[in-house]
Amino acid sequence: MHRRQFLRNSGIALATPWLESLRAATTEPPTRFGLVYFSNGVEPAHWWAKGSGASMEVGPGLAPMQPLTEHFSFLRGLYNQKAAETSSPHLGAMPNLLSGAEVSLDPAVIRVGKTFDQVLAQRIGGRTEIPSLVLGIEPNELRLEDGVSMIYGSAISWASEARPATKEIYPARVFDRLVGNDQGRELDRSILDTLLDQARSLRGQVSHSDRAKLEEYLESIRDIERRIDLATKQERLEGWRPSLAEPNMERPASELPQEVPEHMRLMLDLIVLAFRMDKTRIATLMLNNDLSQMNFGFLDGVEGALHLDLTHNGKDPELEAMYLRTNQFHVEQFSYLVRRLSEIDEGGKSLLDSSMLIGCSNLFDGDRHQADEMPFLLAGRGGGLRPGQVLDYLSAGDDNRRACSLYLSLMDRMGVRLDRFGDSRRRLAEI
């Protein structure tokens, strides 16, 4: 059935709006987007790739991706201009990773652009129970660093200019959100009804400007209501069905995992579960915060050094060797997600074939705070991506190597087309 129907009477035809619910049934799985982020850059001498497809060679920093060269592309030279120009080498060049926006360094004003994953969530997130999963390993930090809020260093996903998307670091809570239950939804509905009644009673007691803030709050509650209703109905108009109807993993322990590798793998497994059950089609995972104090002593050859110390190594050979090992560890996490999705069949094609995955950091050379290029890996075939390429944008000129051009291209492939995003109006046709 065509999505634009016509109402006809007495020779007059009136076109209805473009109705999503009247689309033709399809057996094709939807496109998913996932991102795995690690902080403080890479060891540049070991971060390279050459060749293509099965014959692609990668540098030591990318060693975990060597068996997967047909599944990803290596993108060199993409950057955000506002990050490269900022006077704050960390907090001015990290929260804008996915928006390209200028970061306010005024201690009294939190402001950074809405990120493209949240644009997707707000435009198409209503097709699933959960608009997007925003995950992390380390908690949000509320202290100041050089007079600037560390909330900037704790969030890569921003729902608005002034508000980061809520980041979940407890695997058990993520699992519960994915699985849910009718009794829990009834309780949620009861709590929301009470909140709405209380909020409405305030309308006549606040100023005009505060009323606008209250309305924004009410809209967020209505969004939760819509998600509860969607979860309750569990109706699908598409011919396609998820490959998994019930979780195939045990609920994680309620406590926060104490071992970093276990914590990261649980979060990656939950992304896989969410995609398989079609609970969400958009997910981001921060493996560490900016200026992270994560201890990598669990890695062979890494002794007594925190992540921040390893990345700011002054080119000390011993520290550089340990820094390389942490780079490899972060890439191992991304390669794990790529491999898991490639092994899941969705009716003749893998889940990876219907996914677009980014593995990235906000800096290139972390020791130099180099933000005029960023490391990017792009995996999967979702939306018609062509993996197995080495794409070097360094010689393309600044206007042709904006990271936001990549984001515009990926949003197009998710069915969200914008004329402009961040600092770009262009697309990356080669991907």
Side-chain angles (χ1 to χ4, degrees):
M1 195 183 300
H2 199 279
R3 280 179 284 179
R4 190 179 293 280
Q5 299 293 297
F6 291 86
L7 307 178
R8 303 176 186 275
N9 186 33
S10 302
I12 299 174
L14 178 66
T16 65
W18 189 264
L19 300 174
E20 177 69 19
S21 59
L22 297 182
R23 67 185 178 276
T26 175
T27 58
E28 288 296 310
T31 301
R32 287 77 152 202
F33 170 73
L35 180 140
V36 177
Y37 163 85
F38 60 95
S39 66
N40 298 349
V42 298
E43 181 54 52
H46 303 297
W47 190 270
W48 54 266
K50 59 184 179 181
S52 62
S55 62
M56 186 191 299
E57 297 178 44
V58 300
L62 287 165
M65 297 297 293
Q66 187 64 68
L68 301 167
T69 54
E70 293 180 278
H71 293 308
F72 80 96
S73 292
F74 179 89
L75 279 56
R76 184 185 181 202
L78 297 182
Y79 87 123
N80 287 322
Q81 184 175 5
K82 294 299 184 182
E85 295 173 348
T86 185
S87 60
S88 175
H90 278 276
L91 302 183
M94 185 269 184
N96 54 4
L97 169 70
L98 302 182
S99 69
E102 183 175 6
V103 180
S104 169
L105 301 181
D106 182 343
V109 179
I110 299 293
R111 188 182 67 249
V112 67
K114 182 189 299 182
T115 52
F116 91 93
D117 65 303
Q118 291 306 297
V119 172
L120 288 173
Q122 292 167 15
R123 297 290 186 93
I124 64 171
R127 298 174 186 175
T128 55
E129 183 176 334
I130 302 169
S132 74
L133 278 181
V134 179
L135 309 178
I137 303 300
E138 297 182 298
N140 289 343
E141 297 185 58
L142 302 180
R143 63 181 175 86
L144 296 181
E145 177 72 26
D146 295 331
V148 183
S149 173
M150 267 298 292
I151 193 64
Y152 283 149
S154 305
I156 56 169
S157 184
W158 288 73
S160 70
E161 289 187 348
R163 180 171 62 87
T166 303
K167 181 177 70 174
E168 182 57 74
I169 67 171
Y170 280 81
R173 293 177 185 170
V174 180
F175 183 88
D176 290 343
R177 189 177 179 198
L178 294 179
V179 176
N181 58 72
D182 291 339
Q183 183 178 2
R185 291 189 187 109
E186 289 173 8
L187 177 61
D188 289 342
R189 166 68 72 180
S190 174
I191 293 170
L192 288 175
D193 287 344
T194 302
L195 281 173
L196 281 168
D197 287 343
Q198 293 175 354
R200 290 187 186 107
S201 70
L202 282 175
R203 275 181 171 151
Q205 305 174 39
V206 298
S207 66
H208 178 75
S209 60
D210 281 344
R211 203 169 296 140
K213 295 178 184 178
L214 183 60
E215 189 57 38
E216 183 179 350
Y217 170 69
L218 288 171
E219 181 57 33
S220 69
I221 295 178
R222 293 186 197 104
D223 179 63
I224 296 172
E225 280 192 301
R226 287 190 289 268
R227 286 156 50 185
I228 292 174
D229 290 340
L230 180 64
T232 302
K233 292 176 183 176
Q234 287 294 307
E235 295 175 352
R236 290 181 181 278
L237 294 167
E238 304 100 325
W240 174 82
R241 291 292 186 274
S243 62
L244 202 63
E246 299 292 337
N248 62 346
M249 61 181 285
E250 296 292 327
R251 182 183 186 272
S254 297
E255 300 79 17
L256 200 65
Q258 296 303 299
E259 301 296 329
V260 169
E262 176 194 1
H263 195 174
M264 291 183 180
R265 286 300 167 92
L266 277 173
M267 289 306 207
L268 291 165
D269 285 338
L270 288 165
I271 291 175
V272 175
L273 179 64
F275 284 174
R276 288 198 70 178
M277 296 181 70
D278 199 33
K279 293 293 185 174
T280 191
R281 298 170 187 174
I282 304 157
T284 62
L285 171 60
M286 291 184 69
L287 296 181
N288 24 60
N289 292 348
D290 196 31
L291 298 168
S292 172
Q293 298 296 304
M294 186 174 285
N295 191 316
F296 283 88
F298 58 86
L299 294 176
D300 291 339
V302 179
E303 300 177 0
L306 302 179
H307 186 43
L308 184 62
D309 298 328
L310 295 177
T311 59
H312 296 66
N313 54 46
K315 302 305 178 185
D316 176 275
E318 185 176 355
L319 290 177
E320 280 192 308
M322 289 190 277
Y323 185 19
L324 168 60
R325 184 66 191 94
T326 65
N327 280 170
Q328 292 171 332
F329 174 76
H330 289 134
V331 173
E332 283 172 11
Q333 310 316 306
F334 183 65
S335 70
Y336 175 79
L337 180 61
V338 173
R339 188 172 64 255
R340 283 289 314 278
L341 297 186
S342 72
E343 295 168 347
I344 295 169
D345 179 72
E346 287 197 314
K349 60 173 20 177
S350 74
L351 205 162
L352 182 63
D353 289 333
S354 300
S355 298
M356 305 184 297
L357 305 177
I358 290 178
C360 66
S361 187
N362 58 310
L363 301 174
F364 192 57
D365 186 340
D367 187 54
R368 292 175 46 218
H369 301 119
Q370 183 183 357
D372 60 357
E373 63 175 294
M374 299 182 293
F376 270 92
L377 305 176
L378 180 62
R381 291 181 172 79
L385 291 182
R386 300 188 296 275
Q389 303 183 79
V390 175
L391 300 173
D392 190 344
Y393 294 97
L394 273 181
S395 60
D398 287 354
D399 285 341
N400 295 307
R401 61 185 192 95
R402 307 296 177 98
C404 287
S405 298
L406 171 64
Y407 306 151
L408 280 169
S409 303
L410 298 183
M411 285 191 282
D412 285 351
R413 287 164 165 81
M414 295 286 285
V416 176
R417 185 170 183 86
L418 305 180
D419 292 333
R420 180 186 183 93
F421 181 73
D423 59 5
S424 180
R425 294 180 180 274
R426 298 173 180 266
R427 269 73 176 169
L428 299 183
E430 304 86 357
I431 62 173

